[in-house]
Amino acid sequence: MGNRRNFIKKTTLASTGIVVGASAFTAKSYGNILGANDRIIMASIGVRGRGKGLMESFAKMYDDGVRIKTICDVDSAFLEERVALAATHQNGNRPGTEEDLRKVYDDKEIDAVVIATPNHWHALSTIWACQAGKHVYVEKPSSHNVWEGRKMVEAARKYNRLVQVGFQNRSISNVMQAIEFLHSGGIGDVFMARGTCFKPRDSFGISPDSTPPATLNYDLWLGPATYRPYNEKRGHYNWHWHWNTGNGDTGNQGPHQFDVARWGLNKNEHPIKVQSMGGIFGISPEECSQETPNTQTSVIEYADGKILEFETRGRYTNHEANLGIKIGNIFYGTEGWLEINGDTWKAYKGSETEPFAGSGMGAGAAIGGDNSFRTAPDSKGHFGNFIDGLRSGNQDVLNCDIEVGHTSTVLPLIANIAYRVGETLKFDGKTETFIDNKKADAFLTREYRAPYVVPNKV
């Protein structure tokens, strides 16, 4: 096993026995500090699309003391391929496989898990992991609904686990630099932020309900979601476009840019008002089973009047801003504007058409040529930042702790609720509920399918 770590128990709480379905595991509550030379043992849960990339990224850290011990997925069709891929990065060390994530949590050797399941599994799999004493890297959006997202925060704190949410922009040096520039007054007072998700998507078709493939454990795949007969057009990847399991592109690609927008506005609280409108255009219900809108405009207001706009365009469209943004952000300040496209940013003063600051231009080009702007430090990336957090035992090291991820995830979730209700909604950030709107409140959580239930008390 190589160099195994010793846990230093800095916080000891009462052990809690948790029984879920046919599986039982014991949760130990303590913080662990991992030395620089200690091996971090991980499991990767959900390894089909995005999960494949996450699994491979952590497997590539093998020489830096990270090992993927177990690969877990409810569909065995491609498990062997993933095992072989991980082994190529781990000096031939082949991970084992599991179908049920609860068996992964039973393994006391595993320090941390990577969760890249469909959205409807994010919260429960994270909570169970924390209860089992595992640290967590969970993909965006951190949760499928607002209420369960708060339970994730509570679980991380109660069991003293580090939970990083997959908002990778938080660890991209140039994006960090752009945000620092905004916060330092580079374009004056930033009063509006805009995020865009322009991803033209054609119809994915329609099909009758059918029997699940022999390789798929459909009960486990469905998990907390309301039971519906298996349908391939609601399954792998297409789950994004159905409310029972996904959140549409506003809640798929959108969370990344919602997060950057909120970050740039320097808002660490929830907004007070949200409205959203849109629909499914260019695709008829007779040719596609999609439920979530492919075109959606959302407007969010904060207590001081600052505005966050977000636009989802799922049909053919132009780019925006000078950098040709399709997936990105634009910020508007009292003295100019700034655009972020991937890891590139440019800032413009007043009505000038040439940038006066930006990535690759050097600190001297920023803020009138003085030295008041610091270039963001080199980043190890989001995955490296998670590993650094585990080794430090300090949640403050994480670039996107679960509280940060939850606050950003709430934005697309409440935008979708406003769209579904068809009203402008007032939001109470302290209670994370809507004001005088029971219809909207009903979308803040869901009825969970036993035994896959997010508990009221984690």
Side-chain angles (χ1 to χ4, degrees):
M1 262 198 1
N3 189 7
R4 279 297 286 155
R5 75 283 181 276
N6 292 317
F7 284 128
I8 298 177
K9 300 183 180 181
K10 63 180 182 180
T11 304
T12 303
L13 302 176
S15 294
T16 304
I18 301 165
V19 179
V20 187
S23 177
F25 52 78
T26 300
K28 292 184 179 179
S29 301
Y30 53 82
N32 57 323
I33 301 174
L34 298 164
N37 297 317
D38 292 334
R39 176 73 68 185
I40 296 176
I41 307 300
M42 302 185 70
S44 197
I45 300 171
V47 292
R48 185 176 173 86
R50 175 61 178 159
K52 174 186 176 183
L54 291 177
M55 180 273 295
E56 188 172 15
S57 293
F58 283 104
K60 287 179 178 179
M61 298 182 190
Y62 186 78
D63 289 339
D64 296 322
V66 177
R67 174 191 162 202
I68 300 293
K69 179 185 179 184
T70 306
I71 292 174
C72 177
D73 202 285
V74 297
D75 192 337
S76 62
F78 45 86
L79 278 180
E80 180 54 35
E81 176 190 329
R82 300 297 188 264
V83 168
L85 178 61
T88 64
H89 301 297
Q90 298 192 155
N91 294 339
N93 194 307
R94 293 171 60 87
T97 62
E98 290 288 357
E99 177 184 73
D100 191 330
L101 55 78
R102 292 168 292 190
K103 293 184 179 179
V104 173
Y105 298 157
D106 282 337
D107 187 344
K108 293 179 173 57
E109 284 191 347
I110 291 174
D111 302 310
V113 297
V114 182
I115 295 171
T117 61
N119 295 356
H120 67 286
W121 255 111
H122 285 185
L124 188 57
S125 54
T126 297
I127 291 166
W128 282 355
C130 290
Q131 291 173 330
K134 316 301 182 189
H135 302 288
V136 179
Y137 182 105
V138 60
E139 258 304 322
K140 56 75 203 165
S142 54
S143 63
H144 184 253
N145 65 62
V146 173
W147 178 82
E148 67 184 17
R150 176 52 56 188
K151 296 301 169 183
M152 295 168 76
V153 178
E154 292 175 7
R157 301 299 183 253
K158 179 176 179 179
Y159 298 100
N160 199 19
R161 298 299 91 188
L162 274 68
V163 178
Q164 173 104 302
V165 179
F167 288 122
Q168 288 83 18
N169 286 290
R170 294 269 174 172
S171 298
I172 297 176
S173 292
N174 280 345
V175 178
M176 296 163 70
Q177 184 186 81
I179 298 301
E180 183 184 352
F181 181 75
L182 289 172
H183 291 178
S184 65
I187 59 171
D189 182 30
V190 180
F191 57 84
M192 184 166 71
R194 175 171 170 77
T196 60
C197 171
F198 298 171
K199 280 190 170 183
R201 299 183 188 272
D202 293 326
S203 168
F204 55 81
I206 195 167
S207 66
D209 295 342
S210 60
T211 301
T215 59
L216 176 67
N217 185 325
Y218 183 59
D219 178 72
L220 274 175
W221 184 90
L222 203 58
T226 303
Y227 178 80
R228 296 176 73 172
Y230 174 79
N231 188 300
E232 65 173 337
K233 299 303 182 182
R234 294 195 296 262
H236 292 322
Y237 197 75
N238 290 331
W239 56 262
H240 279 295
W241 325 123
H242 297 88
W243 294 119
N244 194 35
T245 50
N247 306 91
D249 245 343
T250 295
N252 173 32
Q253 176 63 49
H256 286 298
Q257 277 62 55
F258 271 102
D259 178 57
V260 173
R262 181 180 73 82
W263 189 16
L265 285 173
N266 208 12
K267 290 299 178 186
N268 298 315
E269 73 270 17
H270 291 310
I272 62 168
K273 190 184 297 184
V274 57
Q275 58 181 317
S276 186
M277 64 290 297
I280 301 174
F281 298 97
I283 299 174
S284 70
E286 289 75 28
E287 66 174 306
C288 186
S289 64
Q290 181 166 346
E291 298 171 346
T292 62
N294 65 6
T295 303
Q296 187 177 359
T297 297
S298 305
V299 181
I300 288 169
E301 181 182 347
Y302 286 91
D304 61 359
K306 293 186 177 182
I307 298 168
L308 192 160
E309 296 182 340
F310 194 85
E311 188 159 6
T312 299
R313 297 182 193 170
R315 302 304 292 161
Y316 314 113
T317 182
N318 59 301
H319 297 192
E320 288 201 359
N322 292 347
L323 288 176
I325 294 174
K326 295 186 75 174
I327 307 295
N329 290 86
I330 309 170
F331 296 89
Y332 303 91
T334 54
E335 299 175 12
W337 62 285
L338 181 147
E339 54 185 336
I340 301 176
N341 189 12
D343 63 356
T344 301
W345 69 276
K346 302 294 180 186
Y348 302 81
K349 184 169 290 186
S351 59
E352 295 177 3
T353 58
E354 292 297 321
F356 76 102
S359 52
M361 296 180 68
I367 313 183
D370 64 25
N371 294 317
S372 59
F373 173 62
R374 292 186 301 105
T375 301
D378 289 337
S379 171
K380 295 182 178 180
H382 215 48
F383 310 130
N385 175 247
F386 178 58
I387 298 302
D388 285 349
L390 298 191
R391 294 200 187 283
S392 72
N394 182 0
Q395 73 181 45
D396 293 335
V397 170
L398 299 180
N399 287 339
C400 194
D401 168 69
I402 181 59
E403 183 78 59
V404 175
H406 172 64
T407 304
S408 290
T409 293
V410 164
L411 300 175
L413 294 181
I414 63 175
N416 276 338
I417 293 172
Y419 165 80
R420 298 179 76 178
V421 173
E423 301 176 26
T424 297
L425 303 174
K426 295 181 179 180
F427 193 65
D428 182 343
K430 292 183 178 179
T431 62
E432 295 186 336
T433 59
F434 295 102
I435 298 174
D436 299 326
N437 198 315
K438 293 182 178 179
K439 183 178 179 182
D441 279 344
F443 288 109
L444 292 171
T445 186
R446 72 184 309 160
E447 289 190 16
Y448 294 91
R449 190 175 68 94
Y452 310 102
V453 178
V454 174
N456 284 306
K457 186 176 181 180
V458 298

